[in-house]
Amino acid sequence: MHLDLNALTVFAVVAETRSFRAAADRLGVTRSAVSQTMRKLETQLGIALLQRTTRSVSLTEAGARFQAGIAGALAEIGQAAEAAAALRGHPSGLLRLAVSSIAESFLSGPQLGAFLEAHPGIRLDVTVTDAEFDIVAEGFDAGVRLGEVIAQDMIAVPVSAPQRQLAVAAPSYLARHGRPAHPRELPAHRCIGWRPAPELPPYRWEFGADGAEFDVEVAPHVTTNDMALMIRLACAGHGITFGMEESFRPWIGRGELVPLLEDYCPPFPGFFLYFPSRRHLAPKLRALIDHLRRGGRG
């Protein structure tokens, strides 16, 4: 069966955006052209890929399987085309990244700012998310996450120094409630916890001692997916919170937060840029990798 590459590209954008209008805007065509292309593709395949209503577009089961099946092939074709085009000029195009919200050094600005200065032909689309998903199937070029949660079949490039997690609290809280001497004392304290989504349980606080790791279930008085709120509440003296040392460093430096239990907070490998192993690496992604390996200096 011969399938039109343009139709596959249109379908991939519709599947990602769940909207004919948004797909048309991204592709620079009319909404009717997108709709017509989808009808022709479904007719050729002999099965519905999309469920349409007056207000939304969703994937059928067949559509979801088709999207997953073509994502890698479309990415390979795009990278091969960019590799060929790069021979006549500089890396260019849209570079889509999915970045963990706690990758503070990567998201702080200087690294990415220097990269854009060095490569004016590249545009960045950065989605900050802590959800776990297949970056290839979702149309991303690469992601940035802690190394321990990256799938083993991915290529990973370090983008930060080793990290560690800390428990912190405001001096006012410690004056009222005292300082815990061991992580096992934390459940007796007011704690401010994190969870990535409402349907998931709060994150268990992880520590280490004598080469062994252990975690503590603290039963937080406040739970949120917003690190900024956690820090504001902790600074206001409402409890102990826990997260990446990088996130707390400005407040620790000003004395607004105090590190706790540091002897139980060992370092671990930090954040990595990760992407699937491919024969033809897109020049725009290669440029970012080279930039990061030089230390983000452009």
Side-chain angles (χ1 to χ4, degrees):
M1 179 185 296
H2 174 72
L3 296 177
D4 181 9
L5 178 59
N6 178 64
L8 299 184
T9 301
V10 172
F11 168 74
V13 177
V14 172
E16 178 191 339
T17 62
R18 299 296 200 272
S19 166
F20 282 6
R21 184 182 300 279
D25 289 343
R26 180 182 295 186
L27 295 167
V29 299
T30 65
R31 183 177 175 182
S32 62
V34 170
S35 179
Q36 184 177 5
T37 300
M38 289 300 91
R39 283 197 300 271
K40 288 181 178 179
L41 180 60
E42 289 175 320
T43 298
Q44 186 175 10
L45 293 173
I47 193 168
L49 301 174
L50 304 170
Q51 188 76 34
R52 305 162 176 82
T53 70
T54 56
R55 304 180 66 178
S56 66
V57 175
S58 60
L59 294 177
T60 63
E61 180 182 359
R65 291 186 179 185
F66 191 62
Q67 179 194 27
I70 68 171
L74 288 177
E76 290 280 359
I77 292 169
Q79 289 162 8
E82 289 185 2
L87 295 176
R88 68 172 190 269
H90 300 289
S92 63
L94 181 66
L95 183 61
R96 301 190 67 222
L97 305 176
V99 183
S100 169
S101 68
I102 57 174
E104 295 283 344
S105 60
F106 188 83
L107 291 170
S108 63
Q111 272 189 334
L112 293 179
F115 172 69
L116 291 171
E117 286 286 337
H119 302 281
I122 295 177
R123 295 174 293 121
L124 281 180
D125 182 338
V126 180
T127 296
V128 179
T129 176
D130 294 301
E132 295 186 17
F133 55 86
D134 184 342
I135 58 171
V136 176
E138 295 299 323
F140 288 94
D141 296 288
V144 175
R145 295 178 67 83
L146 286 171
E148 62 190 29
V149 296
I150 296 174
Q152 292 185 351
D153 61 348
M154 292 285 175
I155 306 298
V157 177
V159 297
S160 78
Q163 303 287 304
R164 69 171 178 164
Q165 297 188 100
L166 283 181
V168 296
S172 60
Y173 175 86
L174 299 177
R176 294 194 310 273
H177 301 282
R179 178 192 292 258
H182 190 279
R184 299 297 184 196
E185 298 177 13
L186 287 169
H189 283 263
R190 297 183 67 87
C191 293
I192 303 161
W194 180 84
R195 63 178 172 184
E199 68 274 11
L200 298 177
Y203 176 72
R204 295 172 70 93
W205 296 11
E206 298 176 339
F207 298 93
D210 300 323
E213 298 179 352
F214 63 96
D215 58 51
V216 176
E217 187 174 1
V218 298
H221 286 73
V222 177
T223 305
T224 178
N225 67 338
D226 184 2
M227 178 59 68
L229 176 60
M230 293 166 63
I231 292 173
R232 288 196 295 269
L233 288 171
C235 287
H238 292 300
I240 298 172
T241 195
F242 188 77
M244 304 299 292
E245 182 178 13
E246 275 191 353
S247 300
F248 301 136
R249 192 169 290 140
W251 290 269
I252 293 174
R254 295 193 295 267
E256 297 177 57
L257 292 175
V258 176
L260 306 173
L261 306 168
E262 290 187 87
D263 289 343
Y264 300 95
C265 299
F268 53 85
F271 293 94
F272 290 77
L273 179 82
Y274 69 99
F275 49 92
S277 176
R278 290 170 178 158
R279 183 173 56 186
H280 301 295
L281 197 63
K284 59 188 178 183
L285 181 55
R286 169 57 62 193
L288 178 61
I289 294 167
D290 291 344
H291 171 79
L292 294 172
R293 283 177 169 160
R294 291 193 297 269
R297 297 184 298 272

